[in-house]
Amino acid sequence: AQSVAQPEDQVNVAEGNPLTVKCTYSVSGNPYLFWYVQYPNRGLQFLLKYITGDNLVKGSYGFEAEFNKSQTSFHLKKPSALVSDSALYFCAVRDTGNTPLVFGKGTRLSVIA
Amino acid sequence: GAVVSQHPSWVICKSGTSVKIECRSLDFQATTMFWYRQFPKQSLMLMATSNEGSKATYEQGVEKDKFLINHASLTLSTLTVTSAHPEDSSFYICSARETSGTDTQYFGPGTRLTVL
């Protein structure tokens, strides 16, 4: 069975500082990993994904994530946080079959000016 | 990126009535669509997986007779909440996966259902 863990319910960071939102996963085969962002009363917006290839993936709005197979992690990062980055972030995983995404519980990011 | 629309964005209905929510992939074809439910401050709960032209696959604990899903074309799936009750009030989000092989799921903006 697939699962995703986001160990932090809330992450607070000052504007301009680097941010990290943590994610670890468990799948039986090779993972397809995704990050999504959700603003209040909105659906999910796709940020980035890892399927194969380079472990460092760059996505929308300056976000990036690093796939670490040995640690089964896919942490989301941004070098310099903006207040507008404040939102709910979801990590998701699926295996290589035709299976739906499994989501973590989400991490609320607050960027303080 | 690809766009998924949902209609309506919010709906208020009386207990006992049925509500239909539409999900459309606007600029891509989606063999598979998914319906999720999200409670306040919680993650997304998968309700069902819908494949075009075939019956939906429901997750354990989701009543298929209450939540009717139809996926009649590669760009349209509908979720009908039948005989809605206040406990059905929630945020419903659809998602569509491209058939091009990129494996990305794109999400609609969600539908806020309030049953009085």
Side-chain angles (χ1 to χ4, degrees):
Chain A
Q2 304 156 109
S3 66
V4 175
Q6 292 181 243
E8 304 153 317
D9 291 335
Q10 174 95 30
V11 170
N12 298 317
V13 64
E15 187 176 29
N17 283 2
L19 68 87
T20 299
V21 182
K22 296 179 181 177
C23 171
T24 58
Y25 66 90
S26 174
V27 295
S28 55
N30 292 322
Y32 288 7
L33 293 155
F34 301 79
W35 276 101
Y36 291 86
V37 60
Q38 186 181 33
Y39 295 97
N41 297 310
R42 302 288 296 275
L44 275 65
Q45 294 180 31
F46 169 72
L47 280 179
L48 52 79
K49 67 180 178 183
Y50 171 84
I51 304 296
T52 186
D54 197 348
N55 289 346
L56 183 63
V57 179
K58 294 187 183 296
S60 306
Y61 312 120
F63 284 93
E64 59 187 30
E66 186 165 14
F67 170 62
N68 187 317
K69 188 173 183 178
S70 63
Q71 298 184 2
T72 62
S73 68
F74 190 57
H75 302 329
L76 181 70
K77 300 182 180 183
K78 187 173 182 180
S80 178
L82 300 173
V83 172
S84 57
D85 293 329
S86 299
L88 187 58
Y89 290 80
F90 290 100
C91 180
V93 68
R94 56 179 282 254
D95 63 21
T96 52
N98 187 27
T99 55
L101 286 174
V102 173
F103 285 85
K105 63 180 181 178
T107 298
R108 186 162 301 280
L109 172 68
S110 291
V111 181
I112 305 162
Chain B
V3 179
V4 176
S5 70
Q6 265 183 258
H7 179 80
S9 55
W10 59 270
V11 57
I12 301 173
C13 69
K14 293 182 179 180
S15 186
T17 61
S18 294
V19 175
K20 179 185 282 188
I21 304 170
E22 289 188 351
C23 176
R24 294 181 185 271
S25 57
L26 297 186
D27 50 2
F28 67 99
Q29 292 186 327
T31 302
T32 307
M33 288 185 170
F34 307 90
W35 286 95
Y36 292 83
R37 185 173 179 177
Q38 186 180 31
F39 293 100
K41 299 185 179 181
Q42 292 191 29
S43 189
L44 279 72
M45 182 193 78
L46 179 66
M47 299 175 66
T49 301
S50 168
N51 290 296
E52 185 262 340
S54 61
K55 290 183 178 180
T57 302
Y58 290 81
E59 296 299 301
Q60 192 172 8
V62 178
E63 299 176 60
K64 62 180 181 181
D65 294 330
K66 180 167 187 64
F67 298 100
L68 300 179
I69 292 173
N70 183 276
H71 191 165
S73 76
L74 286 173
T75 59
L76 173 65
S77 177
T78 60
L79 168 68
T80 301
V81 183
T82 62
S83 186
H85 287 90
E87 58 265 30
D88 299 324
S89 299
S90 191
F91 195 53
Y92 292 88
I93 306 175
C94 76
S95 176
R97 180 184 290 164
E98 290 182 290
T99 57
S100 64
T102 63
D103 296 301
T104 299
Q105 269 181 240
Y106 294 97
F107 287 79
T111 297
R112 171 78 56 195
L113 171 63
T114 301
V115 185
L116 302 176

